[in-house]
Amino acid sequence: MRVCRLPYREQSAELVSGIANEPWSVFLDCGHPRTRQGRWDIVAARPFLTLTAWAGTTRVESTQGVEFHAGDPLPLLRSFIGQTEESPGFPFAGGAIGYFSYDLSLRLGVLADSGKQGPEWPEMAIGLYDWAVLVDHERAETYLVSAGRDPATDAIWDDLVKLFSGPFQGSEDHWQTSVQATSDLPWPRYQAAFQRAMRWIADGDCYQVNLTQLFTAEVKGSSWGLYQSLRRLNPAPFGAFFNHPMGDVLSSSPERFIELRGDQVTTSPIKGTRPRGADQESDQQLASDLANSAKDRAENLMIVDLLRNDLGKVCQTGSVAVPALFEVKSFANVHHLVSTVTGKLAPGRDAIDLLRATFPGGSITGAPKRRAMEIIDELEPHRRGLYCGAIGYIGFNGDMDSNIAIRTLVRQGDTVYFGVGGGIVADSVAEQEYQECLDKAAPMLRLLGSGRDGLVG
């Protein structure tokens, strides 16, 4: 492992400016300084190997050429990550960074392929990175680190030190909206889908269904500029910018999916939302209303139980616990009800096993998971694509951290997609659930220059 200390900058986005336009550049963003809930930022680029899975085939590209592999891509990813290597003091010192889309469920056998159409987007896109820049905002320190997996890193090390030491050159970050955002489930269609979901719940098919809608807009200009605007408007502790050759990912997610440190597992599901108030008094009232809502607490508890079951598949017997239940956490635009579930990974299990056991996150499916996903597939007009999947890393040290890919824009050409949704339970009210969707969508709609008026009818 190789380490070089760099000058600390409170604004990690400056570190990304010189590489943002490079394919496979990535920024895992804790939202600092506009949110203080995260500690580390990770910046990486120029992976020595990439894996892109789509329609049952994984394309692997490296300096040795291109190969194609059929079937489940997770064992393939495990083989490239290889043996665990220690990286003391750092959450990540090289490894896999990228995303696992919601539609990867089709390859993992969680959900049957109904043939439904959606955004033309890979089911998994992962780069293996030998070096990364880590920014520790708690200690005001920045480091360039390398795992030593790629011999080419030595040849560019001094250039990397210079690049990330500044001064930083601004890039062309201009962007503009060209077509207003529209939803594939405007109010009449949402209401019909909601009523169908309620019938399934009443019949006992499931307890909760996360019904989502897909918004589409058009923009021109810089994706990196668009992301900087997004993180200013909606700073979040699990944000991400990912420049993929097939399109760009811009995430301002508030939700952690799975964290693995050594053998310690943590997941933090969100269920329950209120908008922020216009003043301190109304804001506190909304937070209090959320904290005391029997419906939201019950909805949250359903997902906590689901995740306890998921973790129990790969964690040591008796180790799964719920150290925090129904905490109200406040973000830039909404309050959320958040719980924390932990466990101790069983001997012989690794991050890939943990990912397989828990994917996709229960907070964006419903309960029981498989039946809820089948109902979702019937109700939602399009496949979800990356939305509701996970973005994050699995390090060569065996550790993992990832978000739930909500409040996330996916851009292909001039088209931008993003989804919003919420959990429906037996006592849900259609108008309130639809309003919750709009509350969650509000930052993206403001970003893209859209108001709510044209979306309800």
Side-chain angles (χ1 to χ4, degrees):
M1 180 177 170
R2 189 173 183 180
V3 179
C4 177
R5 187 164 179 174
L6 302 175
Y8 171 74
R9 282 174 173 79
E10 190 173 49
Q11 295 285 355
S12 297
E14 294 179 359
L15 298 166
V16 188
S17 60
I19 60 168
N21 294 323
E22 294 186 20
W24 294 94
S25 60
V26 62
F27 176 31
L28 301 183
D29 177 11
C30 75
H32 187 90
R34 293 179 63 89
T35 176
R36 302 286 177 168
Q37 297 185 45
R39 175 179 176 180
W40 294 91
D41 288 330
I42 299 174
V43 179
R46 306 168 196 174
F48 61 90
L49 184 144
T50 62
L51 301 94
T52 302
W54 198 4
T57 301
T58 303
R59 183 182 189 272
V60 179
E61 183 173 359
S62 68
T63 56
Q64 306 302 312
V66 177
E67 299 177 352
F68 294 90
H69 299 260
D72 184 342
L74 293 187
L76 187 64
L77 175 58
R78 175 189 279 124
S79 71
F80 286 116
I81 293 174
Q83 297 297 313
T84 299
E85 301 173 5
E86 292 187 4
S87 55
F90 299 105
F92 179 87
I97 307 178
Y99 73 79
F100 307 93
S101 83
Y102 180 88
D103 292 340
L104 183 63
S105 305
L106 303 175
R107 302 297 150 234
L108 303 183
V110 181
L111 183 67
D113 190 349
S114 64
K116 182 174 290 186
Q117 298 300 305
E120 294 293 320
W121 195 249
E123 295 152 1
M124 183 186 86
I126 298 290
L128 263 65
Y129 297 83
D130 183 56
W131 60 264
V133 177
L134 277 70
V135 183
D136 181 351
H137 292 294
E138 184 176 288
R139 301 179 64 177
E141 296 173 349
T142 301
Y143 294 91
L144 176 66
V145 299
S146 171
R149 288 283 188 96
D150 182 11
T153 301
D154 287 339
I156 64 170
W157 185 260
D158 291 342
D159 292 335
L160 293 174
V161 171
K162 182 178 179 181
L163 172 64
F164 293 112
S165 296
F168 298 101
Q169 301 297 318
S171 55
E172 290 296 325
D173 296 337
H174 303 294
W175 65 275
Q176 63 181 16
T177 302
S178 56
V179 174
Q180 184 175 350
T182 57
S183 169
D184 68 350
L185 274 181
W187 169 242
R189 295 185 67 183
Y190 180 91
Q191 190 176 30
F194 175 92
Q195 295 301 333
R196 292 179 65 195
M198 292 295 279
R199 286 195 293 272
W200 270 307
I201 292 171
D203 289 343
D205 279 48
C206 59
Y207 310 109
Q208 181 180 159
V209 175
N210 196 74
L211 178 62
T212 75
Q213 53 189 296
L214 184 70
F215 288 87
T216 305
E218 290 191 14
V219 299
K220 296 184 182 297
S222 165
S223 290
W224 174 239
L226 181 62
Y227 179 70
Q228 291 183 85
S229 298
L230 175 64
R231 74 188 298 265
R232 283 192 294 269
L233 184 64
N234 194 50
F238 299 101
F241 174 80
F242 183 31
N243 183 330
H244 187 268
M246 291 188 63
D248 300 321
V249 177
L250 303 81
S251 180
S252 59
S253 174
E255 184 171 358
R256 167 173 274 145
F257 176 33
I258 292 288
E259 181 186 35
L260 175 64
R261 299 285 171 218
D263 60 2
Q264 299 301 308
V265 180
T266 304
T267 182
S268 303
I270 287 175
K271 267 302 169 202
T273 303
R274 295 292 186 277
R276 298 298 302 265
D279 53 47
Q280 184 175 2
E281 182 178 356
S282 64
D283 193 57
Q284 290 178 346
Q285 181 58 49
L286 286 161
S288 177
D289 178 64
L290 177 60
N292 295 293
S293 167
K295 172 186 175 295
D296 288 294
R297 290 163 71 94
E299 193 175 327
N300 190 289
L301 187 60
M302 291 180 194
I303 302 307
V304 167
D305 285 342
L306 185 156
L307 286 167
R308 289 174 63 239
N309 181 69
D310 281 353
L311 293 190
K313 300 173 186 175
V314 290
C315 287
Q316 295 183 31
T317 301
S319 72
V320 177
V322 184
L325 192 63
F326 310 146
E327 289 186 312
V328 174
K329 293 192 176 182
S330 300
F331 300 87
N333 294 280
V334 292
H335 302 289
H336 279 312
L337 202 62
V338 184
S339 295
T340 301
V341 186
T342 61
K344 186 174 184 180
L345 200 64
R349 299 288 194 170
D350 63 9
I352 297 294
D353 294 317
L354 178 60
L355 179 67
R356 184 185 296 280
T358 55
F359 190 84
S363 65
I364 46 75
T365 60
K369 182 185 287 188
R370 183 181 292 271
R371 183 59 183 134
M373 292 177 69
E374 291 170 350
I375 292 171
I376 286 167
D377 195 49
E378 291 197 41
L379 293 178
E380 295 180 5
H382 299 96
R383 284 169 55 179
R384 290 181 172 182
L386 169 57
Y387 169 58
C388 291
I391 306 167
Y393 66 81
I394 303 175
F396 292 136
N397 63 358
D399 290 351
M400 173 171 67
D401 204 359
S402 58
N403 73 9
I404 295 284
I406 54 176
R407 322 293 146 80
T408 297
L409 307 178
V410 174
R411 181 182 182 184
Q412 290 181 297
D414 291 340
T415 303
V416 173
Y417 307 93
F418 68 92
V420 293
I424 296 172
V425 293
D427 55 351
S428 291
V429 177
E431 290 82 0
Q432 294 174 1
E433 296 296 340
Y434 193 71
Q435 184 60 52
E436 181 176 318
C437 289
L438 295 180
D439 290 338
K440 293 173 179 176
M444 284 81 75
L445 294 176
R446 287 202 301 272
L447 176 73
L448 298 171
S450 302
R452 296 183 180 184
D453 295 343
L455 298 170
V456 177

